[in-house]
Amino acid sequence: MTSASSQQEVTISSGEFLTFILGGEEYGVDILAVRGIQGWDGVTRIPDTPDYMLGVINLRGAIVPIVDMRIKFNLKRAEFDSTTVVIVVRAELGGEDHILGLVVDAVSEVYKIDQGTIQSNPEFNADQANDMVKGLITIEEKMVIILDVDMLIEDWAPDGLAQEDVAA
Amino acid sequence: MSGDLDLTEIFEVFFEESAEGLEVMESGLLGLDFGAADLDTINDIFRAAHSIKGGAGTFGFMEISGFTHGVETILDQMRDGTRNVSEDAVQLLLESVDCIGAMIQSLKAGEPDDPARREPLEKRIVQLLAGNDESAGAQSGSTGQDTGESDNSGSQHWAITYTPAKEILQEGHDPVDVFKELEKLGSLEVVPSFVDLPEFELFDPEELFLSWNLRLGTDLERKAIEAAFEWVSDQCELTIELEDDASLPEGAGESEGQKQQPPAASAGGAAPAKPEVPRKGSTSEASIRVGINKVDSLLNLVGELVITQSMLKRFGKDYNPELLDELRDGLNQLERHTRELQESAMQIRMLPIKSSFSRFPRLVRDISNTLGKNINLVMSGEHTEVDKTVLEKLSDPLVHLVRNSLDHGIEKPDVRIANGKSDTGTLHLSAAHEGGNVVIQVEDDGAGLNRERILQKAIEKNLISAGENLSDDRIDNLIFHPGFSTAEVVSDVSGRGVGMDVVRRNILDLGGSIRVNSRPGKGTSLKISLPLTLAILDGQLVRVGSEIYVISLLSIIETVQLSASDIKTISGEGEVYLMRNRYIPVVRTAEVFGVEQWAANDADLLVIVEAENERFGILVNELLEQQQIVIKSIEKNYKKVDGLTGATILGNGRVALILDVPGLLQNLMSAKPAVTKESRNEPVAA
């Protein structure tokens, strides 16, 4: 706990977090943002999109984009196998809810976390992946990286070209 | 929390109803004949104003209810016949309608009230009313006082504060009964006060937390008023005072004197705190009013569907080959009902285009006044139904076209007479269904497009080279080019250079097209053609490599079988196909969209599509079936993707992408080699 006091507190409301494995690390997302978990079943590719955008799937009638978290976090690309899962989450962008699927190696646990145990992310460098990390916690002597799902889709905002005013 | 939400919903209803009310007022006012006004119309306008005032008062939007009160008073006098329907008065009322609209808008956006907006109008309303009062010989000349009430039946006013006991409802009394009683005595204004309203947690629905400030104009004595409260007199706090004009309470922090609202509303202490209005647009849920017949037909169909379903369920239980025919019938029935249900559900989204057209009488009137032109607006086909989304997105482009016609199209009266036309120009707005499309036309009998000036301008702006020989049609269509505006003087009305190209882009985004047709000296007509709905299209499924794409059937002209040698390369940049002596560009979908496992073979097909009168070919491996496609948005969960209109879900549950034919054309035509990043830079290996 002594190390915690030396680091800045971050405001993450306490609650339950779903954790998943990605390249040997354990990551967590707020369980309230999780909409479901399903197996990998292929996607329809979308042209002209970043590498991490695998494509879209049909999720109960909605077109849902699928993000490969390994590529998003600059990890080595993995073969998808039977344990590969898609965590469907809800993220907010500009006041609108977006549903998206995150492809991860495997789902791990659900932990209950108190606010006091969360430490802010040490600023290693101004890496993009760093923005998506909300904080770190230690659970059963393992480090879990808590993600901010809203930051995952930050670059999906419509291009700067605002709608032109027709009446002008 | 939930209490706030409920209130927000009610506010939404108020905003919506007010918008409708304002529309009624505006169209009513525009239809009034000066001098000999139609009483029914005035009544309609009055009722609309009255419900806006009432609604605003109920929710504590005192600025609006106060302002609307003045408007209502004028209308009331017109209704009684004590005021003439003069042009000035109508103009003032129209401006007031705009002002109320603006006030509601800023309320909706959560902006603070801007008194400067309404004060000049309030002053004019007071002046107008005062003018009438003087002629009627009422009141002294002090215009600062609340003189607008003299139209009311009473000669004196009673100020009543009525605070019922909380338990009053439990005992079966309803304060409304009291108000009804009082209303019989004279003119009554009721302003509720919310000051005692508790936190939501403490709120008991069986208790009454409201109190009221009443203002009653009557000749009757105090006793008559007290009689109205007889049943509740022991269960309330009641003060009844004869109002003395000299002691009228002034609005506390607001601008003095010129208020045209009930004193209760302006009395600082009694005025209820303005309720929190929903912030920003995110909370506003779009809603739609649906005719009950549409809902009924939907319900009927669902009923049919349930019957069909139970019939089919039987086959699942005990399958018997002899029942095969019945099963087939059942499935046919299911298909029919599903389609009908789909159509019926689509019907709910369809609204008459009237709601979009209804703003034009006003717009035309205002603009023709500004421009000093005589214009007669003719509208037809207002009942044509269009998808709500289409309708909303169509509004701005239409306004732009109408403005253009008024500003550039129709000439000034003297010019018209010199050209042997009647001095009044005609603008014809029409809508009609044509096949699977809605066609909207904006037609004027003005000067027509000035082709010489368009050419000159286009050469000036380097859109075309000087020597080029263009058909009239091509010249006319130059007006849709970005940055093109021929107006010599940038006027208030139109001509700021971002015009027709934006209109065109908006129409294209809706999957429609726009054509201009002009005859010099005779007039210009702009024809917009739009799909009936954005939600469904007739699609052709095509296979490209391992992927399946959808192309809208409407844009497909034909499909040709080709061999690799039919496609010619132009200096390694692009490819063309010779179709009946015309070279058309070819889009290699597989490369544009980076499809893997693509192999060109002799069975390849070229789907010839058309957008904006330009044709090009899309290279595919195979044509699959044609079917109705439900368009799903990719944007909703991801973002807009170039070259795609959206996606759909196929029978097997997989997602297929829908090609955006006009968008692909744009990419082909645009100067930058933007179709794809990679494939353009290296020679194409066929």
Side-chain angles (χ1 to χ4, degrees), chain B residues 289-347:
Chain B
R289 282 180 174 233
V290 183
I292 193 80
N293 56 336
K294 286 185 180 176
V295 178
D296 283 348
S297 88
L298 201 59
L299 274 175
N300 276 341
L301 281 168
V302 173
E304 296 272 321
L305 207 59
V306 170
I307 295 168
T308 314
Q309 189 265 340
S310 59
M311 174 181 150
L312 287 172
K313 198 173 164 190
R314 210 158 45 97
F315 299 113
K317 259 192 203 134
D318 51 337
Y319 177 72
N320 176 350
E322 284 163 26
L323 293 175
L324 198 62
D325 274 349
E326 268 185 64
L327 177 64
R328 201 169 288 139
D329 284 351
L331 285 173
N332 282 340
Q333 206 175 327
L334 181 69
E335 190 192 334
R336 202 173 60 242
H337 286 153
T338 316
R339 194 176 308 125
E340 279 173 17
L341 188 66
Q342 186 188 41
E343 275 167 18
S344 204
M346 295 307 303
Q347 274 296 316

Side-chain angles (χ1 to χ4, degrees), chain B residues 623-678:
Chain B
L623 286 186
L624 306 171
E625 65 264 35
Q626 299 175 356
Q627 63 182 63
Q628 286 235 311
I629 299 289
V630 178
I631 305 174
K632 303 267 182 180
S633 158
I634 298 175
E635 221 172 329
K636 187 171 181 299
N637 285 322
Y638 183 49
K639 61 180 188 180
K640 177 128 185 63
V641 182
D642 271 357
L644 300 179
T645 318
T648 192
I649 293 162
L650 300 177
N652 62 4
R654 289 278 163 187
V655 178
L657 305 175
I658 305 169
L659 299 187
D660 174 15
V661 172
L664 286 172
L665 178 75
Q666 287 275 312
N667 283 351
L668 270 179
M669 303 296 252
S670 56
K672 47 181 182 165
V675 179
T676 84
K677 284 164 196 156
E678 305 96 83

Side-chain angles (χ1 to χ4, degrees), chain B residues 150-185:
Chain B
S150 56
D151 59 298
N152 288 330
S153 55
S155 60
Q156 54 187 4
H157 287 98
W158 296 87
I160 304 165
T161 60
Y162 171 42
T163 314
K166 284 193 175 120
E167 304 78 31
I168 190 165
L169 296 175
Q170 296 160 5
E171 290 168 24
H173 294 294
D174 187 343
V176 175
D177 293 338
V178 176
F179 303 151
K180 280 183 184 154
E181 204 59 41
L182 285 173
E183 210 170 14
K184 291 178 191 160
L185 304 177

Side-chain angles (χ1 to χ4, degrees), chain A residues 41 44-45 48 61 98-99 166, chain B residues 400 594 632 637 654-655 677:
Chain A
D41 187 28
T44 299
R45 291 190 52 251
D48 209 11
H98 288 247
I99 305 292
V166 184
Chain B
H400 197 92
K632 303 267 182 180
N637 285 322
R654 289 278 163 187
V655 178
K677 284 164 196 156

